[in-house]
């Protein structure tokens, strides 16, 4: 049997060091970028007042975080999104020159068309301690269940839309927190 040719040994450590250097640089870059990036969820001090636009505010319950990415403030439309263990709560103030019934119908259409939600025909009226009143209705989609509270301030030409949504299994647990935040909504006449 012929003898097998011998292979000359080659060094693998320079290539290994190069791969290790690339991995360390990549991980270090992400650590530095993560430290410099503002967090998406900011803790909220219990009892603090959240301003939603120039004349609407509410008080979040303990255990909720401000979603800085999805919250926005502008001259015409403002939105504050809170995230909790079992759901999400959104208060939006937008310009509106119509009736309450028209805005409720508009919100239902948006939920069905864009949100792909199924609106439940259980409209009811609501009123808060802060003087905000309007219509509320429920919806559900493949993953979540929710409730929408709509109020229209015809004197200020604005609508206040509040949405609480949670996974189906947690909605009943989250509803008291949503109700407490709805009850804390205050408006000032513009």
């Amino acid at each position: 049997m012929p003898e097998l040719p011998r292979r000359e040994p080659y060094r693998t450590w320079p290539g290994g060091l190069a791969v290790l250097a690339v991995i360390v640089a990549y991980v270090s870059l992400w650590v530095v970028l993560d430290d410099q990036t503002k967090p998406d969820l900011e803790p909220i001090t219990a009892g603090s007042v959240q301003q939603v636009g120039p004349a609407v505010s509410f008080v979040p319950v303990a255990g909720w975080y401000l979603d800085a990415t999805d919250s926005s403030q502008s001259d015409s439309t403002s939105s504050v999104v809170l995230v909790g263990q079992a759901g999400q709560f959104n208060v939006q103030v937008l310009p509106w020159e119509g009736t309450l019934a028209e805005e409720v119908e508009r919100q239902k259409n948006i939920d069905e068309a864009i949100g792909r939600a199924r609106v439940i025909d259980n409209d009811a009226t609501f009123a808060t301690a802060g003087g905000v009143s309007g219509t509320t209705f429920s919806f559900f989609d493949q993953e979540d269940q929710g409730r929408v509270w709509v109020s229209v301030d015809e004197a200020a030409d604005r609508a206040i839309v509040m949405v609480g949504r949670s996974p189906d299994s947690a909605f009943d647990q989250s509803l008291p927190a949503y109700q407490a935040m709805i009850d804390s909504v205050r408006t000032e006449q513009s």
Side-chain angles (χ1 to χ4, degrees):
M1 213 171 240
E3 205 173 293
L4 292 174
R6 289 188 173 244
R7 224 170 37 153
E8 291 295 320
Y10 59 93
R11 291 182 272 176
T12 58
W13 64 268
L17 282 178
V19 169
L20 180 63
V22 168
I23 291 172
V24 168
Y26 182 76
V27 170
S28 299
L29 174 69
W30 281 111
V31 168
V32 169
L33 288 176
D34 186 52
D35 288 344
Q36 299 300 319
T37 305
K38 185 177 175 183
D40 290 344
L41 299 179
E42 300 172 6
I44 298 174
T45 306
S48 66
V49 176
Q50 289 294 309
Q51 198 69 32
V52 189
V56 178
S57 63
F58 73 101
V59 179
V61 295
W64 289 78
Y65 296 86
L66 176 67
D67 186 342
T69 304
D70 291 335
S71 298
S72 64
Q73 300 284 331
S74 72
D75 292 338
S76 60
T77 303
S78 301
S79 177
V80 171
V81 178
L82 301 181
V83 177
Q85 281 186 331
Q88 180 179 4
F89 183 71
N90 180 7
V91 179
Q92 183 178 21
V93 178
L94 53 134
W96 180 251
E97 294 182 11
T99 66
L100 175 62
E102 292 170 336
E103 177 62 10
V104 168
E105 190 61 33
R106 179 176 166 271
Q107 287 301 320
K108 287 180 178 181
N109 291 337
I110 289 171
D111 287 346
E112 288 176 335
I114 297 173
R116 299 183 191 266
R118 183 169 174 216
V119 174
I120 300 171
D121 208 6
N122 65 347
D123 293 13
T125 60
F126 75 94
T128 70
V132 175
S133 62
T135 301
T136 181
F137 62 91
S138 299
F139 68 90
F140 66 91
D141 58 26
Q142 291 181 349
E143 299 171 3
D144 296 329
Q145 180 178 342
R147 189 139 192 98
V148 179
W149 293 264
V150 180
S151 177
V152 171
D153 183 352
E154 292 181 15
D157 291 331
R158 69 176 171 217
I160 303 170
V161 179
M162 299 152 285
V163 180
R165 70 181 317 135
S166 300
D168 292 335
S169 60
F171 183 76
D172 290 336
Q173 297 167 350
S174 301
L175 191 56
Y178 300 148
Q179 294 284 11
M181 289 188 278
I182 294 292
D183 200 43
S184 73
V185 173
R186 303 285 187 265
T187 62
E188 300 168 14
Q189 295 300 326
S190 299

